[in-house]
Amino acid sequence: PDNNTIRFGASNDLQIYHDSSTPQNLINSYTSNPLTIMSNGDTSIKSNNGDNMGVFKKDGAVELYYDDSKKFETTSGGGQITGRLNIGTSTEGHAAADELTLENTAADMGMTLRSGTGNQGAIYFSDGTSGDAEYRGIVLYNHANDAFSIYTSATERLRVDSTGRISTGKAGVGSYNDASEWFKVQSNDTAANISIVASNDAHSSLNLGDEDDFNIQKIKSDHTDNSLQFFTDNSERMRID
């Protein structure tokens, strides 16, 4: 009958019963000792229509299901999730990037990749499972030399070194002509250009300054009259119209 209890142990340590007020069926262990379910084979938890809810395989995987569809499985190397993973939210991100969504709208939000002092942390962008298709794009921080790198087409294209120097291009990334070369663009098989583009009613400038005056020297292209102006000591010294 409802609410009757089957008790095991001298102190009723284990109880099995139906609670009609909830209603629910319960197995309760009323001691600090562990509750263990043992089997010589696989162990399954199923709904009353036979759908899998959880499968515990002997010497193997643990599988968790949603509506009889497997969503999580442990493996010898860790775990595998099928479908989206939302952390801190039940709402996934944009459809083009919704496999993993992290949310904390009440405070600062971030993700940490921690590796050894002589190792690297990286995010790899892959479109295949072998060769350089596994790392067509990379965002990488190398703790061995404290350098930050970006790769495209499986090749390093930009590096910021530990002092803040920047090198980019098709070749020579990470190398400099001297210690005072803070920005370098290099291509060994094509022309190398740097573009500064502004609107038709404005100007583009290359400012050469110091810690007291950021643009004490300047090369300025005035797009209103297409003149090229040269400044020293904050004054225009020459103009080519």
Side-chain angles (χ1 to χ4, degrees):
D2 281 352
N3 302 321
N4 280 2
T5 302
I6 300 175
R7 296 176 172 86
F8 300 88
S11 301
N12 297 322
D13 298 338
L14 178 64
Q15 300 181 14
I16 302 174
Y17 58 98
H18 170 74
D19 184 350
S20 60
S21 64
T22 312
Q24 58 182 326
N25 300 311
L26 301 166
I27 300 175
N28 277 344
S29 176
Y30 283 91
T31 73
S32 59
N33 296 322
L35 176 64
T36 303
I37 300 174
M38 301 181 69
S39 171
N40 196 41
D42 296 347
T43 301
S44 299
I45 301 174
K46 296 178 179 288
S47 64
N48 58 7
N49 64 357
D51 287 352
N52 281 316
M53 301 170 70
V55 177
F56 306 83
K57 295 185 176 181
K58 181 182 179 182
D59 301 324
V62 173
E63 301 173 351
L64 300 179
Y65 290 74
Y66 178 85
D67 195 20
D68 204 33
S69 177
K70 184 168 63 175
K71 298 299 182 182
F72 177 77
E73 177 183 5
T74 62
T75 67
S76 60
Q80 179 174 307
I81 294 174
T82 301
R84 303 185 184 98
L85 175 61
N86 297 332
I87 300 176
T89 180
S90 60
T91 304
E92 65 274 9
H94 189 276
D98 62 352
E99 276 68 32
L100 172 62
T101 302
L102 299 90
E103 179 179 315
N104 180 2
T105 57
D108 295 337
M109 179 63 188
M111 181 173 64
T112 298
L113 304 179
R114 181 177 291 117
S115 50
T117 56
N119 302 105
Q120 65 187 31
I123 299 174
Y124 279 44
F125 299 87
S126 169
D127 59 7
T129 58
S130 63
D132 64 14
E134 293 192 279
Y135 54 90
R136 298 303 293 168
I138 304 174
V139 178
L140 179 150
Y141 191 88
N142 190 337
H143 295 285
N145 58 8
D146 282 322
F148 180 82
S149 299
I150 295 177
Y151 288 63
T152 64
S153 192
T155 303
E156 186 179 13
R157 301 300 189 187
L158 183 145
R159 183 186 300 184
V160 182
D161 72 9
S162 60
T163 66
R165 295 184 300 178
I166 300 173
S167 58
T168 184
K170 295 180 64 178
V173 175
S175 64
Y176 300 90
N177 295 314
D178 58 61
S180 63
E181 186 178 37
W182 287 92
F183 180 72
K184 186 188 77 168
V185 178
Q186 181 175 337
S187 176
N188 288 349
D189 57 1
T190 64
N193 300 313
I194 299 176
S195 298
I196 304 174
V197 180
S199 64
N200 293 337
D201 58 354
H203 66 269
S204 303
S205 296
L206 177 62
N207 297 322
L208 309 171
D210 54 40
E211 57 186 320
D212 296 322
D213 193 332
F214 79 95
N215 63 349
I216 194 169
Q217 325 288 355
K218 179 167 58 177
I219 301 172
K220 174 182 174 182
S221 175
D222 190 333
H223 303 300
T224 62
D225 59 9
N226 291 326
S227 64
L228 185 62
Q229 304 159 18
F230 296 84
F231 292 71
T232 62
D233 199 19
N234 281 328
S235 298
E236 183 179 352
R237 306 299 185 180
M238 184 176 75
R239 178 179 297 206
I240 302 174
D241 58 18

